[in-house]
Amino acid sequence: MPQNIVMSIIKNILKQRILILDGGMGSMIQRFNLQEEDYRGTQFAHLPGTMKGNGDALNITRPDVIQSIHEQYLLAGADIIETNTLNSTTISMADYGMEQYVREINRAAAQLAKEICDKYTKLNPDKPRFVAGSIGPTNKTASLSPDVSNPAFRGVTFDELRTAYREQIDALFDGGVDAILIETSFDTLNVKAALMAAEDVFAQKGKSLPLMVSFTLAGKNGRILSGQTLEAAFVSVSHANLLSIGLNCSFGARDMKPFLQELKRIAPCYISAYPNAGLPNSLGQYDETPETMAPQIQEYLDEGLVNIIGGCCGTTPDHIAMIASLVERHGARGLRVKAAMTDKNELVLSGLEVLNSQLSTLNSQLLIIGERCNVAGSRKFLRLIKEKKYEEALAIARGQVDEGAQILDVNVDDGLLDGMQEMTTFLNWMASEPDVARVPVMVDSSDWNIIEAGLKCLQGKSIVNSISLKNGEDDFLQKARKIKSYGAAIIAMAFDEQGQADTYERKIEVCARMFRLLTEKAGIHPADIIFDPNILAIATGIETHNTYALDFIRATEWIKTNLPGAKVSGGVSNLSFSFRGNNYLREAMHTVFLYHAIQKGMDMGIVNPSVALTYEDIPKDLRKLIEEVIFEHTNDSVEKLMEYAQNHGDTLSSTQTEEKTGFLWRNHPVEERLKYALIKGIGDYLEEDLEDALKIYPNPVSIIDQVLMAGMNEVGKLFGEGKMFLPQVVKTARTMKKAVAILQPHIEASRSDDAAKAGKILFATVKGDVHDIGKNITSVILACNNYEVIDLGVMVP
């Protein structure tokens, strides 16, 4: 059937009944007891190494096997058949030296599935069958470093993923698939690359296909492998026009159910689920039979949790037949689709966790955007970035979050810096720090290339600061559409071809024009539009500047009334630029200004969250002077404030700064300090604490065994309870490695030449396995305990 009408056909069916997806492919292939020559065939006979286990190659070498499996699932009642292409990207196929065959494999797989589906549709036109092109996660993650010693390193880039996915999707499209299924997704940045690749292909073809996304969870804490909560992952891809969002793999049906209930709460599209046949046993086999799985699937139907249901690892045609019979007997229509979150005019952002702007709005609070990771606003941050001291720079970000920043502004615009490289490096470092990465990021630059480099690092839904009309409408719209495809919200600065909007009239004129362009031509939802009507310096001695604060506040009120759904933000420190050097007066001006701006609808602001000055803290006489300046109540208000500034020095002695630490845990005994440092992944004080420990313990190995391992055991306990997640564990492993490196010279000095190793450990991940991170962590811990670790690598037969 024509590809451009498939979406409406599938949606019409989903309004009436639940669709059945097929089951596991790998477990079915194993039933054929295939040998090396089956995988290799004549087509791949010349390639070195083993081919056995490369199931995707069978699309070429044994198409009869793959089509037979498809047919068994169709006979069992499946409505949707997945192509056998989970690993058919140039990235995954590189392990077999088969990159040049990727297009051929995908096209053949699509044609095999399409041919058999068309056959069964003709036999029963009332039950049309569809082909979903299977897009796997690859064996790389774009959000995490595979090297615990180098948090900024990535095994794959966003652009490499996008290119690989584009080639795969293009071939599947040409092969005739009816939908694209991005599945078993463990890193949302990988998913974003796949979604953008699909956009590329659809634009080139002039036709689009339904898009389906399915995540796999890393554990019962409800996070994916890269650390995002399920809701945060969904928010990150909510910009795409998805047919369905769902879960597959990782769990059996029983363990998956709570997370499907979560999806039901948040998702405005159809929901899919295809669980494993239980969890694998010690032999890697799946014990859940169709009969034992049936009651769990029945609960899905009874509670209206799904619209598309099938099976993953270990499921067979018998499982799918069972599911189909349950659906038929139940007569279930499935979960009804509800309105999208953005239809409620809420700005929803995400890092590893979700930030919902409505929560602040309801409480009349400002969303705090931390300003100190900006080279223009923090000399210390600039110095650290120039000196490549990223771990210390990261401590500034951590401090901002600890002090209450809900979003982090990151800006590396400096003439002596390579902005694209520094933005990429620092954001990758931030991704390694869970306490920082949990909040959304504002990518801030006047250079579009730096903004785009930042967006390629962020799996969450971020904010771009900013775009404007200064280069005309075409440039504005092009950038807006690009930002949407990355899944970010947009700050639109009140700046057009004539320059910066400084008066109230100019501010509302430019913002109204941008709003119309963004909503009507770029397809941006109002909730993802944030206006910056320009907070400009007041009390400069120039008469025309006197109304700048009031103009911003009036423009804010107008925007909130006349441009429904849009948000308002601004860089608050600009207001008091005239009083640089008098921090107390500056913060007092900011506090008074925000007090009034928030009442008129200002939603967020770039501020220093460590300054805890409140409106009531400010002496009434000063507060009155500032309000006179802001609202221009008297002709000499500016002169009066300047006179006050001259007569009062910087008196805010209690103001916290980024230089201030004051960590209470530093006062604890050395054992507790080391344990705390390991659990939190803080490596700043290891050298001095380990020196203290060496004075107490008989040898350095005792410190590892009795102190450091106690911390790591606590990490294991917390991880097992779902109270820590993978990025945190990676961070603790890096801290552990650093501690052992500090102790290593002492260990060597105290070790006799004939000292035996505790044992020898041989490590590898099996062919086809993409989960290499846990092995790396375990290797570090074992090496720290005097084991000789031999790592054979990843994807080992």
Side-chain angles (χ1 to χ4, degrees):
M1 75 185 60
Q3 291 166 318
N4 55 349
I5 64 170
V6 172
M7 174 75 94
S8 60
I9 292 174
I10 294 177
K11 281 187 173 180
N12 285 334
I13 296 174
L14 284 167
K15 290 176 183 176
Q16 303 170 44
R17 64 182 177 89
I18 291 174
L19 287 177
I20 310 298
L21 191 66
D22 61 5
M25 174 62 71
S27 51
M28 291 297 293
I29 289 175
Q30 290 175 12
R31 292 185 172 188
F32 287 82
N33 193 28
L34 301 177
Q35 302 303 310
E36 175 72 19
E37 54 269 24
D38 292 296
Y39 291 91
R40 186 174 292 280
T42 58
Q43 297 90 336
F44 308 127
H46 62 288
L47 294 176
T50 182
M51 293 289 292
K52 191 172 183 181
N54 183 1
D56 293 19
L58 298 173
N59 295 309
I60 303 293
T61 61
R62 291 296 305 273
D64 57 312
V65 169
I66 302 305
Q67 199 160 59
S68 168
I69 294 170
H70 288 329
E71 186 160 21
Q72 291 179 61
Y73 281 125
L74 290 169
L75 286 168
D79 298 290
I80 304 173
I81 294 295
E82 292 184 56
T83 57
N84 178 37
T85 54
L86 185 73
N87 295 305
S88 295
T89 59
T90 51
I91 293 171
S92 295
M93 282 293 175
D95 292 313
Y96 296 98
M98 293 181 63
E99 302 97 309
Q100 69 270 38
Y101 299 104
V102 162
R103 177 171 289 277
E104 182 184 356
I105 291 171
N106 280 285
R107 189 181 176 95
Q111 290 172 337
L112 285 174
K114 189 64 176 172
E115 181 183 335
I116 196 71
C117 279
D118 286 349
K119 171 185 171 182
Y120 278 81
T121 298
K122 288 176 182 176
L123 291 173
N124 184 4
D126 293 333
K127 185 178 172 65
R129 312 301 177 99
F130 303 97
V131 178
S134 171
I135 309 289
T138 80
N139 52 4
K140 308 279 188 180
T141 168
S143 292
L144 295 173
S145 172
D147 180 356
V148 295
S149 302
N150 184 2
F153 175 71
R154 293 292 180 268
V156 69
T157 67
F158 184 92
D159 287 334
E160 289 168 345
L161 284 165
R162 182 181 175 188
T163 299
Y165 283 133
R166 188 190 296 124
E167 183 174 0
Q168 182 180 24
I169 293 169
D170 185 72
L172 290 169
F173 194 111
D174 289 346
V177 299
D178 300 304
I180 297 296
L181 173 55
I182 302 164
E183 62 175 334
T184 325
S185 305
F186 57 73
D187 184 342
T188 313
L189 193 53
N190 290 38
V191 177
K192 282 186 176 183
L195 290 170
M196 191 177 285
E199 275 187 27
D200 295 341
V201 174
F202 298 165
Q204 178 189 355
K205 305 287 188 184
K207 298 177 182 177
S208 62
L209 297 177
L211 288 170
M212 307 162 71
V213 171
S214 182
F215 287 99
T216 184
L217 299 177
K220 294 184 181 181
N221 59 8
R223 294 179 185 261
I224 62 175
L225 187 71
S226 57
Q228 276 194 311
T229 64
L230 181 57
E231 184 175 6
F234 168 71
V235 168
S236 299
V237 299
S238 59
H239 61 285
N241 182 22
L242 298 180
L243 172 69
S244 67
I245 190 89
L247 295 170
N248 75 290
C249 207
S250 52
F251 293 139
R254 191 178 310 283
D255 291 330
M256 187 179 282
K257 180 182 169 183
F259 306 110
L260 291 175
Q261 292 170 327
E262 172 73 356
L263 276 180
K264 179 181 179 179
R265 180 182 69 82
I266 63 176
C269 56
Y270 294 109
I271 292 178
S272 68
Y274 43 119
N276 293 342
L279 293 173
N281 59 30
S282 59
L283 298 177
Q285 304 297 315
Y286 293 85
D287 298 327
E288 195 98 344
T289 66
E291 292 72 27
T292 58
M293 198 172 178
Q296 301 164 41
I297 300 299
Q298 186 66 54
E299 291 179 18
Y300 289 7
L301 304 180
D302 292 341
E303 297 182 29
L305 297 179
V306 293
N307 305 96
I308 302 169
I309 179 73
C312 199
C313 302
T315 58
T316 66
D318 292 338
H319 291 83
I320 300 307
M322 173 274 296
I323 291 172
S325 65
L326 289 176
V327 169
E328 185 176 0
R329 286 201 303 272
H330 193 275
R333 189 174 75 170
L335 173 68
R336 296 188 68 177
V337 175
K338 56 182 175 293
M341 283 186 289
T342 51
D343 288 343
K344 303 173 185 175
N345 285 333
E346 299 172 20
L347 171 64
V348 185
L349 305 169
S350 65
L352 295 184
E353 297 170 6
V354 167
L355 176 67
N356 190 326
S357 69
Q358 188 186 40
L359 299 180
S360 289
T361 304
L362 290 174
N363 296 310
S364 298
Q365 294 176 347
L366 191 76
L367 281 175
I368 302 299
I369 305 170
E371 68 177 2
R372 309 308 288 169
C373 294
N374 184 326
V375 296
S378 170
R379 293 179 182 177
K380 180 180 179 182
F381 183 74
L382 173 61
R383 175 179 60 80
L384 293 173
I385 295 297
K386 283 183 176 178
E387 295 173 1
K388 311 292 185 185
K389 294 180 178 178
Y390 300 110
E391 193 162 7
E392 293 180 47
L394 186 60
I396 294 176
R398 184 168 59 239
Q400 293 277 278
V401 175
D402 289 345
E403 289 157 356
Q406 295 154 290
I407 302 166
L408 285 178
D409 178 83
V410 179
N411 183 305
V412 291
D413 286 2
D414 183 87
L416 298 179
L417 294 175
D418 181 338
M420 292 175 65
Q421 178 183 326
E422 297 300 347
M423 180 64 80
T424 299
T425 301
F426 186 66
L427 290 181
N428 284 349
W429 267 89
M430 283 178 59
S432 72
E433 171 60 84
D435 290 338
V436 175
R438 67 181 176 84
V439 305
V441 170
M442 176 183 284
V443 183
D444 185 354
S445 179
S446 58
D447 185 329
W448 172 254
N449 293 321
I450 295 175
I451 286 176
E452 197 163 9
L455 291 173
K456 292 174 182 178
C457 300
L458 297 168
Q459 65 171 325
K461 181 177 179 180
S462 54
I463 302 174
V464 166
N465 186 17
S466 60
I467 60 173
S468 75
L469 285 164
K470 67 180 179 181
N471 294 321
E473 290 187 1
D474 290 344
D475 175 78
F476 179 75
L477 289 170
Q478 181 183 4
K479 289 173 179 173
R481 293 184 181 113
K482 194 77 171 180
I483 292 168
K484 181 184 178 184
S485 70
Y486 281 107
I490 298 171
I491 289 187
M493 182 171 283
F495 201 119
D496 66 3
E497 299 91 338
Q498 299 175 43
Q500 193 168 36
D502 51 359
T503 66
Y504 164 72
E505 291 76 16
R506 285 270 294 138
K507 291 178 192 292
I508 66 172
E509 173 197 351
V510 176
C511 289
R513 179 184 170 200
M514 291 192 294
F515 186 80
R516 185 179 68 255
L517 290 170
L518 289 171
T519 55
E520 295 177 8
K521 293 192 175 182
I524 309 297
H525 195 282
D528 288 334
I529 300 171
I530 306 162
F531 287 112
D532 182 347
N534 303 323
I535 298 176
L536 303 173
I538 59 173
T540 64
I542 301 173
E543 187 175 351
T544 55
H545 296 180
N546 292 347
T547 62
Y548 281 171
L550 180 58
D551 286 342
F552 180 94
I553 292 172
R554 290 178 63 205
T556 295
E557 184 177 25
W558 186 90
I559 289 168
K560 300 298 288 188
T561 302
N562 295 280
L563 307 178
K567 304 295 181 282
V568 176
S569 180
V572 180
S573 62
N574 295 340
L575 180 82
S576 62
F577 190 78
S578 301
F579 297 96
R580 291 187 72 183
N582 190 326
N583 290 339
Y584 174 72
L585 180 57
R586 294 193 71 183
E587 296 304 338
M589 290 176 69
H590 300 164
T591 300
V592 173
F593 171 78
L594 286 171
Y595 173 79
H596 293 286
I598 291 169
Q599 291 183 44
K600 297 300 182 182
M602 186 176 177
D603 299 280
M604 60 186 72
I606 304 175
V607 299
N608 183 359
S610 66
V611 178
L613 195 62
T614 68
Y615 184 77
E616 294 298 326
D617 289 334
I618 303 167
K620 290 184 178 179
D621 58 340
L622 176 58
R623 198 165 68 203
K624 183 173 181 293
L625 282 174
I626 294 171
E627 286 176 337
E628 285 183 358
V629 169
I630 290 175
F631 295 104
E632 205 182 8
H633 287 168
T634 65
N635 293 330
D636 60 349
S637 57
V638 174
E639 286 77 7
K640 288 180 180 178
L641 185 60
M642 287 181 174
E643 183 180 347
Y644 187 98
Q646 291 170 356
N647 295 333
H648 296 77
D650 186 350
T651 58
L652 191 58
S653 59
S654 62
T655 299
Q656 294 177 321
T657 70
E658 64 189 64
E659 309 284 350
K660 206 168 182 181
T661 53
F663 296 120
L664 295 177
W665 66 277
R666 298 300 303 150
N667 299 322
H668 296 165
V670 65
E671 292 86 355
E672 292 183 34
R673 297 201 304 268
L674 285 168
K675 183 178 177 182
Y676 183 92
L678 278 179
I679 294 171
K680 294 294 183 182
I682 302 171
D684 301 350
Y685 307 96
L686 285 176
E687 290 197 12
E688 60 183 89
D689 287 348
L690 289 170
E691 283 296 328
D692 289 346
L694 285 167
K695 297 171 186 175
I696 300 173
Y697 287 82
N699 56 63
V701 174
S702 298
I703 298 173
I704 294 174
D705 288 343
Q706 298 175 39
V707 182
L708 299 182
M709 285 309 299
M712 295 305 290
N713 288 339
E714 180 66 16
V715 169
K717 175 175 173 287
L718 293 171
F719 184 62
E721 293 173 350
K723 296 175 182 177
M724 288 182 76
F725 46 99
L726 189 67
Q728 291 171 306
V729 177
V730 172
K731 187 183 171 194
T732 63
R734 190 168 66 251
T735 307
M736 179 71 167
K737 188 174 183 179
K738 184 175 180 179
V740 173
I742 294 169
L743 290 173
Q744 195 62 41
H746 301 279
I747 295 173
E748 296 298 331
S750 63
R751 180 182 292 158
S752 60
D753 293 337
D754 58 348
K757 288 283 186 182
K760 186 177 291 188
I761 301 289
L762 190 66
F763 260 137
T765 53
V766 298
K767 178 66 83 174
D769 189 7
V770 298
H771 306 109
D772 196 33
I773 295 173
K775 175 169 69 74
N776 292 337
I777 296 169
T778 312
S779 297
V780 172
I781 295 169
L782 286 167
C784 292
N785 283 269
N786 203 31
Y787 283 87
E788 181 182 356
V789 177
I790 300 171
D791 187 351
L792 297 180
V794 67
M795 307 281 284
V796 177

